Amino acid sequence: MKLTGAQIAVKALENLGIKYTFGIPGTHTTEIYDALTHSKQIEPILVAHEAGGAFMADAISRTSDSVGCLMIVPAAGLTHALSGIGEAYLAGIPMIVISGGIRRDTGKHYQLHQIDMQPIAKNVTKAQYLIEKSEDIPAILYEAYNVALSGEPGPVFVEIPVEIMMFSSDLKEIPAYVPNIIRPSLDKTKISQAVELLKAAKNPYLFLGWGAKDAQEYSIKIAEKLQAPVSVTMQGKSVFPNNHSLFAGCFLGKSAQPSGRETFKKHDALLAVGCRFSEISTGSYGIEAPKNLIHIDINKEVFDKNYPTTLAIEGDATEVLKAIWEELKDVEISNDNTQIAGKIQQLKTDYFNEWLGKKQNDKVSPGYFFDYLNKHAGDDSIVVLDDGNHTFLACELLTTVKPGHLISPTDFNCMGYCIPAAIAAKLANPEKRVIAITGDGASQMTGLELITAKTYDVAPIVCVFNDGELGQIAQFQEIPLKIKANSIIGHLNFEGLALATGCEYLHLGNDNQIDGIMQTAFEFANKGKAVLVDVTIDYSKKTAFTKGVVKTNLSRFPLGEKIRFIARAVKRHTIG
């Protein structure tokens, strides 16, 4: 029996191990959705909005062994999904984006959804393909998959015109998938050079990003051998156990919490793995050029972009760190870091205690909220963040232990990521507790995806930090300007949102309620019920990140502008 293009595509996706597709069916994808309903392996998930679908596909790749697959209609489906595709692109997350395409066999113009999608997709995907005939579908999908996972991972775009999906082909059997995922070869000379630099250092330091996610075993061994403090990027927060005595916190430079800020001052060698020294991870580039920078990354384009390297090593983080460890493990180390672990722990304890003041009766203190999660959520819980003030609070106050168990939007920094990503994380990990932490602003963007959670019996715990503002931006405005310009948001009845989407609702209004309300939320989730926890959060205390970024950016202003900004801030904060 001959197969249609749609049937061929679904069988090829099955061969690739795809477990879910996310999207909204339309005129140009009717046939492939019909084929998906007959798949025993792939479950097509109907989403509320294609942006939510893209965030879900991203989260599947981050929290499971399957690659996320987006299945969209042309034109509006693509433009709606671009935010999630862009997030995956800048974060280095593999994704297969399959779009229907207009008919090319009629000779007609001004068809429904007729735009050229290839150039639109070009800037946010690693590669773009247009299927010309049905027989090409398996080879192109296999190639797209290999490209998505080769080198630095990322999304790949495949357009399948509707007539190819609809009509039968001469292809009767689908060839098997043969992996061809390309990784850079290991330069053993550079491994030895890295070991020599680390051996000679008196105050070595580690800085880890998401690219080091699968290398935790060797990161720990190297850090312990060197007694080196370890800091992480925001996206890489989970790659090193946060409860380890050498974990110094998120970020580098002036925007790091004291444990990272103080211990980094004396470093004389920095082993940076799977990170780009981006604006967020460096607090608006608030660090001086690292000394003796050994930079390991699978993408050679990141080297020397913001800070000069002493040694650049292109390669897979696990392979490179394993090789470094094999040479380093028998080397005698003598440096000045022998007392560093105690200093880190004291600074971390002191900083966390700053967030544990007198319990409030009308608001929820971030310190007590995260203290509860640290004690009761469990190491196996997956935490999903959004873009906002809560993100940096979690970076500084939440303890994460297992790799890949905290995911967040980062360099693309797209609001609305959290709720759909949490739904997908729970879909892929039904046995694990999934806790979403988002802001009231971000939740307005994709909160209706909670319908998807209800439809597919997925039960994340969604905690909305509700302060009536776009909290992070409001703080950046308030510190220098004392005016919150257009960052006060309209009131949303979150109980109504929970009712509309079929979720349980809990209101967490003060510190004394945290234990009881969060325990109830956990119990709802254990019974398979999605729950929305409306948290009346207190954002009055600024994070180290916020204060550091403001100081860093102000310090770069020309003297005249610096005086003007400071004078304006003083005037507004004293006489209004």
Side-chain angles (χ1 to χ4, degrees):
M1 183 177 178
K2 292 184 176 181
L3 300 173
T4 66
Q7 292 169 328
I8 294 170
V10 170
K11 288 183 180 294
L13 291 174
E14 289 175 340
N15 288 348
L16 291 170
I18 301 299
K19 296 177 182 177
Y20 304 97
T21 64
F22 300 92
I24 301 173
T27 303
H28 298 76
T29 56
T30 300
E31 290 293 326
I32 198 166
Y33 270 96
D34 179 71
L36 283 167
T37 63
H38 294 90
S39 174
K40 295 180 180 180
Q41 173 182 313
I42 304 173
E43 182 177 10
I45 304 296
L46 174 63
V47 300
H49 193 284
E50 285 93 349
F55 293 139
M56 291 182 195
D58 170 294
I60 289 291
S61 294
R62 296 196 200 208
T63 63
S64 77
D65 58 0
S66 179
V67 171
C69 182
L70 191 60
M71 187 74 68
I72 55 176
V73 298
L78 175 60
T79 56
H80 283 173
L82 282 175
S83 292
I85 299 170
E87 190 67 58
Y89 181 67
L90 285 192
I93 305 301
M95 183 189 297
I96 304 298
V97 182
I98 297 178
S99 173
I102 65 163
R103 291 191 66 167
R104 300 173 304 159
D105 61 339
T106 65
K108 300 298 183 184
H109 297 276
Y110 309 115
Q111 295 182 45
L112 177 67
H113 298 326
Q114 186 173 1
I115 61 170
D116 186 357
M117 295 187 291
Q118 297 290 319
I120 295 174
K122 184 176 181 180
N123 286 325
V124 290
T125 56
K126 290 182 68 178
Q128 311 80 40
Y129 301 90
L130 174 61
I131 302 292
E132 299 288 350
K133 57 183 186 294
S134 303
E135 292 78 9
D136 293 339
I137 291 175
I140 288 179
L141 285 178
Y142 295 165
E143 180 180 337
Y145 186 85
N146 287 331
V147 170
L149 289 169
S150 291
E152 181 179 11
V156 175
F157 179 74
V158 181
E159 179 180 352
I160 309 178
V162 67
E163 77 275 7
I164 291 178
M165 288 195 192
M166 291 192 300
F167 299 149
S168 59
S169 72
D170 293 329
L171 194 64
K172 295 181 181 180
E173 293 186 7
I174 308 299
Y177 165 64
V178 178
N180 185 28
I181 297 167
I182 299 171
R183 295 280 188 267
S185 57
L186 191 65
D187 188 331
K188 293 185 178 180
T189 300
K190 288 190 174 183
I191 299 299
S192 297
Q193 291 173 344
V195 171
E196 288 302 313
L197 286 169
L198 294 171
K199 177 184 174 182
K202 292 299 182 182
N203 299 103
Y205 205 102
L206 271 63
F207 187 44
L208 308 177
W210 179 263
K213 177 174 70 74
D214 298 323
Q216 189 182 84
E217 174 188 353
Y218 299 105
S219 298
I220 293 172
K221 288 180 176 179
I222 292 170
E224 290 178 346
K225 177 74 174 181
L226 300 172
Q227 281 299 291
V230 180
S231 289
V232 294
T233 67
M234 184 168 78
Q235 189 186 2
K237 179 172 168 61
S238 67
V239 306
F240 195 87
N242 296 183
N243 58 0
H244 194 284
S245 60
L246 291 169
F247 179 72
C250 272
F251 314 124
L252 285 182
K254 299 173 185 176
S255 295
Q257 61 201 72
S259 51
R261 193 165 63 240
E262 295 301 316
T263 55
F264 186 68
K265 287 179 179 179
K266 294 180 64 177
H267 88 280
D268 58 358
L270 178 63
L271 180 64
V273 187
C275 59
R276 301 169 178 151
F277 293 95
S278 66
E279 182 173 3
I280 289 180
S281 64
T282 59
S284 290
Y285 316 107
I287 62 172
E288 300 296 327
K291 301 178 181 66
N292 290 316
L293 172 58
I294 307 164
H295 196 173
I296 299 167
D297 204 279
I298 202 164
N299 180 3
K300 62 182 180 181
E301 297 299 319
V302 308
F303 299 138
D304 300 299
K305 277 290 190 295
N306 291 323
Y307 298 100
T309 58
T310 299
L311 180 64
I313 305 177
E314 181 186 4
D316 175 78
T318 303
E319 186 179 2
V320 174
L321 289 182
K322 180 181 180 182
I324 289 175
W325 170 247
E326 291 300 324
E327 286 199 26
L328 186 68
K329 64 182 181 181
D330 295 324
V331 173
E332 184 176 346
I333 299 296
S334 176
N335 62 37
D336 297 337
N337 275 0
T338 53
Q339 305 298 317
I340 201 73
K343 181 178 181 180
I344 290 171
Q345 291 309 301
Q346 187 60 58
L347 288 169
K348 284 168 64 175
T349 299
D350 291 346
Y351 182 70
F352 196 93
N353 286 339
E354 290 179 15
W355 293 85
L356 300 176
K358 182 179 179 180
K359 288 191 174 182
Q360 301 186 81
N361 295 318
D362 59 347
K363 286 185 179 180
V364 174
S365 304
Y368 286 110
F369 179 86
F370 285 107
D371 188 49
Y372 180 89
L373 291 187
N374 292 339
K375 292 175 178 176
H376 300 286
D379 293 349
D380 215 30
S381 291
I382 296 173
V383 176
V384 185
L385 305 177
D386 216 302
D387 170 32
N389 198 1
H390 69 277
T391 317
F392 303 103
L393 286 168
C395 284
E396 295 182 3
L397 303 177
L398 180 67
T399 298
T400 306
V401 176
K402 292 188 175 182
H405 281 57
L406 183 139
I407 62 174
S408 172
T410 48
D411 292 343
F412 198 82
N413 218 215
C414 193
M415 289 176 67
Y417 176 87
C418 177
I419 291 177
I423 293 168
K426 183 64 176 177
L427 192 67
N429 300 273
E431 77 289 355
K432 296 184 179 181
R433 178 180 291 131
V434 175
I435 302 169
I437 305 174
T438 185
D440 46 355
S443 65
Q444 292 184 36
M445 294 185 172
T446 52
L448 285 178
E449 288 296 351
L450 288 170
I451 298 170
T452 309
K454 178 64 176 178
T455 301
Y456 293 93
D457 293 322
V458 179
I461 300 165
V462 178
C463 301
V464 178
F465 279 15
N466 188 353
D467 70 327
E469 301 176 353
L470 300 174
Q472 187 65 34
I473 298 303
Q475 286 192 1
F476 282 145
Q477 292 174 331
E478 184 181 27
I479 293 173
L481 303 173
K482 201 188 175 182
I483 293 175
K484 299 173 182 178
N486 228 42
S487 55
I488 307 299
I489 62 179
H491 173 70
L492 173 61
N493 184 329
F494 283 101
E495 185 174 11
L497 176 62
L499 179 64
T501 55
C503 297
E504 302 295 330
Y505 172 82
L506 295 168
H507 177 234
L508 176 51
N510 61 62
D511 291 337
N512 300 304
Q513 297 175 336
I514 292 174
D515 286 15
I517 293 295
M518 291 306 298
Q519 179 60 39
T520 302
F522 287 0
E523 291 170 358
F524 277 136
N526 291 341
K527 295 175 182 177
K529 297 179 179 180
V531 55
L532 190 156
V533 184
D534 183 2
V535 183
T536 305
I537 196 71
D538 178 12
Y539 275 155
S540 60
K541 181 175 172 60
K542 310 298 189 293
T543 61
F545 178 87
T546 298
K547 291 186 284 189
V549 165
V550 171
K551 290 178 181 178
T552 295
N553 284 313
L554 181 63
S555 69
R556 294 199 186 100
F557 287 8
L559 180 60
E561 289 299 316
K562 186 185 298 186
I563 293 172
R564 183 177 71 84
F565 269 74
I566 293 173
R568 182 178 65 175
V570 170
K571 180 179 178 182
R572 290 192 178 183
H573 281 274
T574 54
I575 62 177

